[in-house]
């Protein structure tokens, strides 16, 4: 059918179809009974613009789910897939064929304004969450758009900047989640980022769009632009960008002229159009509208996600709160809940109960605002202090405001708003029983309070059901099981991107390379405020009996790891078992720990279970510049089993045999020492130099060992040594030069 359509369309009609119809729609082809499509943000719910009401920015009511950073903090793949199924229902109900999400960019700096909209600083956790999201939505015959491909880790200058990323970091950190999702969930569409990568804009980047995405990964879905990311339509068409959004295209005339001037081929145009048509056909086949939908179902699952996402960072025993205790609620967020991030993912929630409302349904509880927005004053502080002093325990709501954190701008620092800080400082002087409830989309600096407050909960931006989830958690009706999806560093200056974020107007260099988040803090052995993967519970878990199916494997064999987990406390609870690998000596420096598997298990008090995890080749892969691809290095590895990246409970050593030849080939520029240490050359080179009179007794021996082979030859020749002794060295050099 596609061939038939292509044959029937004029050049003008074809070019027109390579852009959207308007902001949120793709035009259909009535003559072939192919309906148009509605595309809508994503990823925290369905943000369908209320066009009937003439509104571009206002949207129809839909469930506001917790932000992606919170979704990842559940570490519960099944739950996120289930949640995404509900987003699929809502998309069907609203007539949305493609939901624009998930966002799977990385987090090199806590300051990045859109961190809330991305899952994690770890690419594996991001990849697993993104896969679950895509599977869930697409199970409903609704497409997704995995974004923003790739290197969009900041908002500053995002539309013009070039992210300069080395090949190892690009493949191991930034491309990895996209690849995992393409391999495991086959998203209907992907969205290219605004930025350039190493100088070439993503909307016309042949290396990323053609070589990697199409040729290496075999992706066969549609690639659309981010909104307004196409600067050169002709180059975009040539380089495999299928659809420009939003439409209508502003450069259609130019593209038509380019075709007439033989500067753009019909083959390129048709290839792009084939993807557009394939998407329309897929959607026509799979999309089934829903007439009615019970939004309560989505609300319930949004609550469950929020409850599993909130992270108990500290608890000196103050939580859970007992019914009879006199509590006071302080902080405007308790009445005006901070539930979601600002920007394109902003949802118009179906219901929204404040925490104060949820708490006061059955009894009166005293409240003081403490601040308005990010500001406070003497009066508000005084009121808050008076309230606090009359209560056993204080629930103190703080966090970032929409003015501090959101799409389109990066944060200036990691601090809470000034007014919130002043309020906390005043309260901790007079009260020992404060529960600090922090609402933010990314790590904030809480280091000044960790000693003085009794408990801290990272609530994220928990979506429309967040208040209900929080009430259940702090009263112990549900146990905490969230774990940080990103490190809370001790201070911003410790962050590895501190000196290079956000770069200049046209360039940002990812100088920290693969050492992002805990990969950096752990390898540098820097203290952190709260480590990646950290999260307390009302119960305790014991780890024992770590077993591996073999101490030695070949790289394409899998390794079964089992570990016994026991809930040794008094509450039922859930634990996230995290598996990291380390490779202490390697051809290229690796992080001390790299997350490769995790599993969330649910256990009653005194219950045990044996958790089984299967480790595979990809888990140990790194990017080999020599092989220009992912490879496994032969050698010793460590398997760490932990409850966070800094709370490693059990370790096992294994050996992996590999046929990937990742060692850099020796050249005449390598030192004599490198040749002597090499199994192939070692003995020969040692003999040659001994014969030439250089042995350990020679005072210049060490100096000589450090010289590149080619320089050594010149020096040896200048010593007027016998020719037959110099000749073998000359021959080695010649044979190496021939290989180059
Ligand atoms: C954002 C995308 C979003 C699009 C449509 C862009 O500015 O970067 O994430 O999907 O707008 O709202």
């Amino acid at each position: 059918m596609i061939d038939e359509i292509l044959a029937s369309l004029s050049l003008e009609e074809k070019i027109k179809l390579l852009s959207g119809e308007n902001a949120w729609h793709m035009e259909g082809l009535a003559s072939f009974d192919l309906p148009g499509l509605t595309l809508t943000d994503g990823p925290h719910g369905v943000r369908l613009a209320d066009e009937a009401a003439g509104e571009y920015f206002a949207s129809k009511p839909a469930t506001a789910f917790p932000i992606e950073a919170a979704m990842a903090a559940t570490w519960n793949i099944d739950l996120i897939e289930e949640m995404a199924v509900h987003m699929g229902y809502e998309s069907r109900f609203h007539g949305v064929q493609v939901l624009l999400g998930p966002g799977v960019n990385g987090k090199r700096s806590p300051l990045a304004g859109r961190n809330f909209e991305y899952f994690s600083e770890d690419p594996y956790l991001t990849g697993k969450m993104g896969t679950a999201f895509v599977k869930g939505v697409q199970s409903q015959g609704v497409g997704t758009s995995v974004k923003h491909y790739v290197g969009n880790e900041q908002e500053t200058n995002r539309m013009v900047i070039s992210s300069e990323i080395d090949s190892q970091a690009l493949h191991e950190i930034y491309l990895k989640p996209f690849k995992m999702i393409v391999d495991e969930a086959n998203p209907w569409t992907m969205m290219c980022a605004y930025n350039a990568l190493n100088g070439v804009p993503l909307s016309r980047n042949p290396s990323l769009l053609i070589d990697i995405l199409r040729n290496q990964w075999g992706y066969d879905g549609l690639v659309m632009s981010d909104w307004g990311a196409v600067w050169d339509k002709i180059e975009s068409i040539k380089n495999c960008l299928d659809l420009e959004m939003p439409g209508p295209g502003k450069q259609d005339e130019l593209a038509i002229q380019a075709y007439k001037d033989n500067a753009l081929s019909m083959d390129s145009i048709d290839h792009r159009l084939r993807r557009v048509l394939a998407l329309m056909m897929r959607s026509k086949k799979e999309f089934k509208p829903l007439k009615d939908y019970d939004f309560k179902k989505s609300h319930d699952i949004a609550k469950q996600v929020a409850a599993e996402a909130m992270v108990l960072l500290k608890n000196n025993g103050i939580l859970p709160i007992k019914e009879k205790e006199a509590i006071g609620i302080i902080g405007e967020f308790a009445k005006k809940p901070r539930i979601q991030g600002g920007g394109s993912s902003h949802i118009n929630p179906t219901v929204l109960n404040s925490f104060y409302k949820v708490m006061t349904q059955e009894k009166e509880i005293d409240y003081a605002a403490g601040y308005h927005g990010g500001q406070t004053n003497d009066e508000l502080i005084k009121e808050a202090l008076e309230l606090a002093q009359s209560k056993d325990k204080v629930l103190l709501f703080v966090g970032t405001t929409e003015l501090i954190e959101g799409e389109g701008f990066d944060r200036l620092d990691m601090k809470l708003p000034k007014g919130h800080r002043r309020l906390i400082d005043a309260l901790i002087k007079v009260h020992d029983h404060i529960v600090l409830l922090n609402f933010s989309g990314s790590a904030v600096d809480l280091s000044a309070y960790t000693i003085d407050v009794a408990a801290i909960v990272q609530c994220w931006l928990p979506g429309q059901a967040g208040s209900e989830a929080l009430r259940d958690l702090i009263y112990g009706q549900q146990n905490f099981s969230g774990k940080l999806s990103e490190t809370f560093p001790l201070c911003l200056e410790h962050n590895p991107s501190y000196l290079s974020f956000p770069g200049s107007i046209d360039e940002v260099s990812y100088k920290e390379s693969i050492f992002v988040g805990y990969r950096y803090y752990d390898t540098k052995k820097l203290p952190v405020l709260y480590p990646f993967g950290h999260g307390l519970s009302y119960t305790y878990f014991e780890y024992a009996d770590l077993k591996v199916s073999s101490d030695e494997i070949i790289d394409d064999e899998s390794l079964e790891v089992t570990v016994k987990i026991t809930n040794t406390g008094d509450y039922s609870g859930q634990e996230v078992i995290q598996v990291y690998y380390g490779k202490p000596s390697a051809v290229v420096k690796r992080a001390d720990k790299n997350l490769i598997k995790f599993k969330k298990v649910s256990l009653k008090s005194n219950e045990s279970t044996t958790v089984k995890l299967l480790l595979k080749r990809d888990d140990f892969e790194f990017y080999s510049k020599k092989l220009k691809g992912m490879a496994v290095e032969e050698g010793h590895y460590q398997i760490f089993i932990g409850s966070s990246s800094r709370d490693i409970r059990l370790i096992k050593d294994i050996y992996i045999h590999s046929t990937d030849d990742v060692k850099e080939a020796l050249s005449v520029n390598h030192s004599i020492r490198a040749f002597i240490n090499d199994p192939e050359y070692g003995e020969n080179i040692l003999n040659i130099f001994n014969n030439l009179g250089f042995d350990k007794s020679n005072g210049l021996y060490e100096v000589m060992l450090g010289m590149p082979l080619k320089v050594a030859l010149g020096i040896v020749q200048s010593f007027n040594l016998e020719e037959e002794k110099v000749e073998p060295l000359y021959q080695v050099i010649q044979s190496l030069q021939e290989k180059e």
Side-chain angles (χ1 to χ4, degrees):
M1 178 159 157
I2 290 190
D3 288 330
E4 202 188 319
I5 301 177
L6 290 179
S8 78
L9 295 174
S10 68
L11 172 65
E12 288 70 16
E13 285 168 326
K14 285 183 176 179
I15 296 287
K16 191 162 174 238
L17 285 169
L18 299 186
S19 302
E21 186 182 5
N22 51 36
W24 307 117
H25 301 282
M26 284 169 70
E27 202 171 342
L29 267 179
S31 46
F32 287 90
D33 194 23
L34 286 176
L37 275 72
T38 298
L39 295 78
T40 288
D41 286 303
H44 303 137
V46 182
R47 184 178 74 99
L48 182 63
D50 199 350
E51 290 162 298
E55 298 283 353
Y56 181 82
F57 293 109
S59 54
K60 300 223 171 124
T63 305
F65 292 92
I67 55 164
E68 279 194 18
M71 293 178 200
T74 68
W75 297 65
N76 189 336
I77 297 172
D78 295 341
L79 179 65
I80 297 310
E81 186 169 337
E82 178 62 19
M83 176 210 71
V85 168
H86 287 72
M87 283 193 197
Y89 292 142
E90 294 196 22
S91 303
R92 291 171 56 195
F93 175 80
H94 279 303
V96 169
Q97 283 78 21
V98 178
L99 193 65
L100 303 172
V104 299
N105 293 99
K107 302 191 188 192
R108 53 187 296 262
S109 169
L111 302 184
R114 231 170 158 184
N115 275 356
F116 71 91
E117 218 174 320
Y118 303 137
F119 291 112
S120 170
E121 71 188 20
D122 180 83
Y124 178 75
L125 180 57
T126 299
K128 284 317 246 186
M129 289 293 149
T131 300
F133 187 110
V134 170
K135 280 188 180 166
V137 173
Q138 293 194 173
S139 72
Q140 291 308 304
V142 173
T144 53
S145 197
V146 184
K147 63 192 188 183
H148 309 86
Y149 181 76
V150 58
N152 183 181
E153 275 70 37
Q154 66 186 49
E155 295 302 282
T156 308
N157 304 323
R158 67 173 163 154
M159 297 181 180
V160 289
I161 205 157
S162 174
S163 300
E164 304 290 306
I165 312 181
D166 67 75
S167 51
Q168 198 192 352
L170 179 65
H171 286 268
E172 292 180 25
I173 306 291
Y174 298 104
L175 284 176
K176 184 173 170 135
F178 288 99
K179 178 166 192 315
M180 285 171 71
I181 300 169
V182 165
D183 284 350
E184 294 171 39
N186 192 17
W188 288 20
T189 81
M190 311 240 310
M191 188 191 291
C192 80
Y194 287 116
N195 53 278
L197 190 97
N198 300 336
V200 187
L202 262 305
S203 60
R204 52 181 151 99
N205 187 315
S207 156
L208 271 298
L209 294 179
I210 304 175
D211 301 344
I212 294 178
L213 186 61
R214 299 294 185 191
N215 297 344
Q216 289 174 26
W217 300 356
Y219 178 62
D220 67 356
L222 172 140
V223 182
M224 70 178 77
S225 71
D226 199 344
W227 267 231
V230 173
W231 301 97
D232 184 335
K233 177 95 171 174
I234 299 158
E235 284 303 309
S236 288
I237 295 178
K238 284 187 191 166
N239 288 306
C240 258
L241 193 274
D242 303 309
L243 179 73
E244 176 186 0
M245 285 305 288
K250 313 272 178 304
Q251 302 171 51
D252 287 9
E253 288 305 322
L254 289 177
I256 291 166
Q257 194 54 46
Y259 170 76
K260 291 181 181 158
D261 297 344
N262 289 328
L264 179 63
S265 71
M266 187 54 82
D267 198 46
S268 289
I269 299 172
D270 282 353
H271 263 91
R272 306 294 78 78
L273 198 50
R274 278 177 190 279
R275 308 266 182 213
V276 172
L277 295 170
L279 177 66
M280 287 181 190
M281 288 158 82
R282 187 171 189 179
S283 168
K284 183 186 170 194
K285 188 162 150 233
E286 298 192 27
F287 184 80
K288 306 270 178 292
L290 260 190
K291 276 212 182 70
D292 296 306
Y293 180 62
D294 178 5
F295 280 89
K296 170 81 173 55
K297 288 187 183 149
S298 287
H299 185 85
D300 290 346
I301 193 133
K303 177 180 168 194
Q304 186 57 25
V305 175
E308 291 205 21
M310 292 188 185
V311 184
L312 184 58
L313 295 175
K314 170 184 176 174
N315 184 18
N316 71 358
I318 188 175
L319 291 178
I321 288 170
K322 293 166 202 71
E323 287 293 342
K324 57 178 192 317
E325 285 167 333
I327 59 165
I329 298 176
I330 299 179
E332 194 184 38
F333 283 170
K335 276 200 177 171
K336 289 190 184 163
R338 172 98 167 97
I339 63 158
Q340 61 177 327
S344 57
S345 68
H346 199 273
I347 303 288
N348 174 12
T350 54
V351 278
L352 182 55
N353 293 319
S354 72
F355 183 78
Y356 179 77
K357 184 163 170 210
V358 169
M359 290 287 285
T360 51
Q361 263 153 6
E362 280 155 26
K363 57 178 178 201
E364 284 290 298
I365 297 186
D366 291 333
Y367 161 85
Y371 53 84
H372 292 312
Q375 321 270 337
T376 190
N377 56 38
D378 292 348
E379 190 53 32
L380 289 166
I381 298 267
K382 186 166 161 260
E383 207 180 280
L385 289 177
E386 276 168 17
L387 174 73
Q389 277 158 333
S390 66
K391 302 295 172 194
D392 298 334
K393 293 180 179 175
V394 173
L395 300 178
L396 176 56
F397 286 70
V398 296
T400 58
T401 63
E402 285 210 349
L403 295 178
I404 291 183
E405 192 183 14
E407 180 179 344
F409 59 98
D410 295 314
R411 280 193 286 165
L412 299 175
D413 54 42
M414 279 176 63
K415 292 179 188 156
L416 288 170
K418 207 168 170 197
H420 297 208
R421 282 183 274 139
R422 219 186 120 192
L423 177 67
I424 307 172
D425 288 340
L427 284 167
I428 54 182
K429 287 201 188 97
V430 301
H431 211 294
D432 290 335
H433 302 294
I434 294 173
V435 179
L436 191 70
L437 302 161
N438 181 56
F439 291 75
S440 66
S442 189
V444 291
D445 184 0
L446 301 173
S447 54
Y449 321 117
T450 49
I451 295 173
D452 295 322
V453 299
I456 306 179
V457 181
Q458 172 60 17
C459 301
W460 307 107
L461 307 178
Q464 68 179 47
S467 305
E468 292 138 67
L470 183 59
R471 186 231 8 233
D472 289 0
L473 289 167
I474 61 178
Y475 279 99
Q477 283 153 11
Q478 176 152 3
N479 203 340
F480 281 96
S481 66
K483 301 262 188 179
L484 286 181
S485 44
E486 64 194 68
T487 310
F488 275 45
L490 261 188
C491 57
L492 181 62
E493 291 78 359
H494 282 188
N495 179 260
S497 76
Y498 179 67
L499 296 176
S500 60
F501 180 96
S504 65
I505 172 81
D506 51 11
E507 196 178 291
V508 52
S509 174
Y510 287 31
K511 293 206 168 119
E512 68 287 355
S513 183
I514 58 164
F515 296 97
V516 177
Y518 71 90
R519 282 176 165 72
Y520 176 78
Y521 303 116
D522 286 6
T523 309
K524 284 279 284 188
K525 315 248 180 303
L526 278 180
V528 295
L529 190 63
Y530 295 112
F532 175 77
H534 168 75
L536 304 172
S537 157
Y538 294 140
T539 189
Y540 302 94
F541 297 94
E542 196 181 87
Y543 288 58
D545 296 345
L546 170 60
K547 293 195 182 89
V548 289
S549 53
S550 172
D551 294 339
E552 263 179 62
I553 53 162
I554 299 172
D555 56 8
D556 52 9
E557 288 173 347
S558 48
L559 182 79
E560 190 180 273
V561 175
T562 54
V563 58
K564 189 176 167 205
I565 311 293
T566 306
N567 179 345
T568 55
D570 297 334
Y571 285 80
S572 291
Q574 296 191 79
E575 171 69 330
V576 180
I577 294 93
Q578 302 163 36
V579 184
Y580 299 83
Y581 92 80
K583 175 137 193 19
S585 99
V587 280
V588 280
K589 179 101 180 121
R590 313 245 186 125
D592 269 13
K593 286 180 221 105
N594 304 271
L595 182 76
I596 49 175
K597 283 279 163 330
F598 60 88
K599 187 154 188 170
K600 192 165 192 174
V601 294
S602 187
L603 291 171
K604 297 201 183 82
S605 168
N606 289 321
E607 200 186 348
S608 296
T609 187
T610 297
V611 173
K612 229 189 245 175
L613 297 141
L614 212 57
L615 307 186
K616 298 217 174 103
R617 181 189 157 92
D618 337 344
D619 297 322
F620 300 103
E621 280 180 347
F622 77 110
Y623 182 79
S624 157
K625 282 191 191 140
K626 181 186 165 199
L627 301 180
K628 296 199 172 45
M630 302 304 281
V632 174
E633 182 180 353
E634 164 123 7
H636 294 279
Y637 289 76
Q638 287 175 309
I639 307 290
F640 302 103
I641 309 286
S643 178
S644 85
S645 80
R646 291 277 169 110
D647 182 7
I648 299 301
R649 306 288 182 88
L650 301 163
I651 305 178
K652 263 259 180 297
D653 293 333
I654 59 158
Y655 190 90
I656 303 185
H657 297 274
S658 172
T659 49
D660 294 341
D661 184 9
V662 298
K663 259 185 71 193
E664 208 188 321
L666 289 178
S667 74
V668 290
N669 288 332
H670 279 91
S671 67
I672 300 172
R673 189 177 285 111
F675 279 91
I676 289 178
N677 289 338
D678 184 80
E680 188 189 332
Y681 289 94
E683 212 183 304
N684 187 22
I685 296 286
L686 198 62
N687 284 336
I688 292 173
F689 280 93
N690 285 346
N691 273 339
L692 287 166
F694 288 100
D695 58 22
K696 285 192 178 142
S697 63
N698 189 315
L700 286 175
Y701 186 70
E702 288 298 328
V703 180
M704 197 72 183
L705 289 198
M707 282 184 195
L709 208 58
K710 68 178 181 197
V711 177
L713 177 67
I715 293 198
V716 166
Q717 281 167 336
S718 74
F719 287 168
N720 281 334
L721 296 165
E722 293 146 59
E723 203 146 297
E724 64 271 21
K725 289 189 177 166
V726 181
E727 180 62 18
L729 178 60
Y730 179 71
Q731 282 186 4
V732 173
I733 291 182
Q734 209 176 25
S735 86
L736 283 165
Q737 276 167 339
E738 277 162 17
K739 278 191 211 159
E740 274 170 17

